[in-house]
Amino acid sequence: MFETVVEAMDPHVLNGTQEFAPDGIDPDTLARSLPAPMVFVDLETTGGNALEDRITEIGVVEVGPHGVDQWSTLLDPGEPIPPFIQKLTGITNEMVKGQPSFGTLAQGLAERLHGKLFVAHNARFDYGFLKNEFRRAGIGFQADVLCTVRLSRLLFPSAARHGLDALIARFGLMPQGRHRALADADLLWQFWQKLHTIYAPDLIGQAVQRVTKRSSQPPQLPDEAIDALPASPGVYLFYGEGDTLLYVGKSVDVRARVRSHFSSDHQVAKDLRISQEIRRVEVRRTVGELGALLLESQLVKQLQPVHNRMLRRAASLYSWQLAPDSDTPRLVSAKTVDFSGTGSLYGTFSSRYGAESALRTLADEHRLCCAQLGLEKVAKGRPCFGYQVKRCDGVCVGDAPLDAHTARTREALATLQLDTWPYDGPIAIEEPGSQSGEVEYHVIDRWQYLGSVASREALDALIDNMPAATGFDPDIYRLLGRRLAQFDADARVLHLTRAAFRLSHIEPPVDTPRNPRSVALLRRRQPRPEDPYQLRLPFDAH
């Protein structure tokens, strides 16, 4: 793996000269001199989630050829305002009662904002809320967005803080109130005027162009953080305040995938939360997609990121087993049964409830008897519930033969059947990279990922130091189960030999029948004797 860490970067130097314009710029004169109209916008809301919370107040300062206009309104959010929000903004439930809803004002507001540069402090928040409110009203809304947090970072890189309170203190802005929409929007207009007393218009214009190109990027990230990411396969890690790991993801194009997380539309709640919390991005490169998939699964299980729900290691793992001499499936646990080497297992489930629900679904689809499946307790010879509602053929009351029911049960379970590990030990899957000579070897044993190396020579050291496989990993099974045959056909599987790779705490029964599909795979997997990394299988697969 190749590791890159992207943190704070020095801002690019803007072209042009710095001029100190005279104090006391006339606001109307400045507004009329702008190359394009602007709207300085601030919102007050019931919370921080643009998908779930609602707007309680909108404040807009319009500047352009007509001069300066101000507009604001309270809105009825249609939901209670939390007490701490009421205390922060001074906007109470009584104040918004009877006020217009966003939908009633949406068309007029869209016309007011249309064709103007949308300026806000931490613009992703305000723009995201408006996008979602307009969407609910059936109106499409798009605008060029300028975030004044990012603009301040670019123009004043030595400043430690860029929040609105910091701008008030640094530039002597005159607040008419705080945490009210129009008052905060007016502060942004004051900040814009102050910039023109410090920098020449052409330099401000360059800064605006640069920031608006990155309007969807979280303001906490340095401007070039995403541009510096590799456009190649790998795993990316998002870190938040205090270096808390927020999220782990993978892609064949890391830069494009990371950028997609920060779309301004805020259609995914998780991406919105990440964009508000992220502070830095770390990348671990791989040579290809398979390595990225394996590494992502490993890191999520090891590091437990805040916003990853999939791929986490389940506390328990269950499967249904229907042995050849049995008529009723039994639920078994990975704590007592080796899922990689035991035959006649069907499905993997993180809970008993999930396993039973899946079996009930199969029973409904195939008219199986829940009593015979062990899902219902009824007295011998008494009908199950399914029989009473004509969803069971009656094996529970002797109306249907047991062997036919067992055969239909096996047929229903067949789609969930687990393949046993089809090798006598660990393997390494060779993955070539897009660049000449670039390759990685991914070591797998009993459906568990054990690590990757960049050369065959490194396999020796990995084998000598690799801990034993500790159990079946359902995510690796789902990832590789149907792909191993193709890897073998492409001569990309190396058979490794080391006793240390044996499963340490569970051994399958000696007489465990192998899944026929696994045996079929083995018949195609005769290793090349001349390859020192391969070993002939010690049992007869025929």
Side-chain angles (χ1 to χ4, degrees), residues 171-224:
F171 299 109
L173 308 182
M174 303 296 293
Q176 304 302 313
R178 281 293 280 118
H179 302 297
R180 291 300 299 268
L182 185 58
D184 286 354
D186 181 67
L187 285 171
L188 301 182
W189 168 228
Q190 291 183 45
F191 173 60
W192 182 259
Q193 296 173 67
K194 184 63 67 173
L195 292 181
H196 284 77
T197 70
I198 301 173
Y199 292 108
D202 65 329
L203 192 143
I204 295 174
Q206 290 180 46
V208 168
Q209 287 184 350
R210 181 170 297 165
V211 172
T212 53
K213 287 181 180 178
R214 296 177 172 84
S215 60
S216 64
Q217 184 171 315
Q220 310 92 300
L221 287 181
D223 284 338
E224 288 74 27

Side-chain angles (χ1 to χ4, degrees), residues 65-133:
H66 61 278
V68 181
D69 288 331
Q70 295 187 345
W71 177 86
S72 69
T73 183
L74 288 168
L75 294 175
D76 185 346
E79 61 183 38
I81 304 173
F84 78 95
I85 296 288
Q86 295 187 53
K87 184 176 181 180
L88 176 68
T89 65
I91 301 174
T92 65
N93 290 315
E94 291 73 22
M95 291 171 62
V96 298
K97 185 178 181 180
Q99 297 293 335
S101 66
F102 185 91
T104 61
L105 300 177
Q107 188 60 50
L109 179 60
E111 294 172 0
R112 184 183 296 274
L113 302 178
H114 178 70
K116 301 179 178 69
L117 179 63
F118 185 99
V119 186
H121 208 65
N122 194 8
R124 287 179 58 82
F125 177 90
D126 302 89
Y127 187 65
F129 262 92
L130 284 174
K131 284 278 292 185
N132 280 283
E133 289 283 18

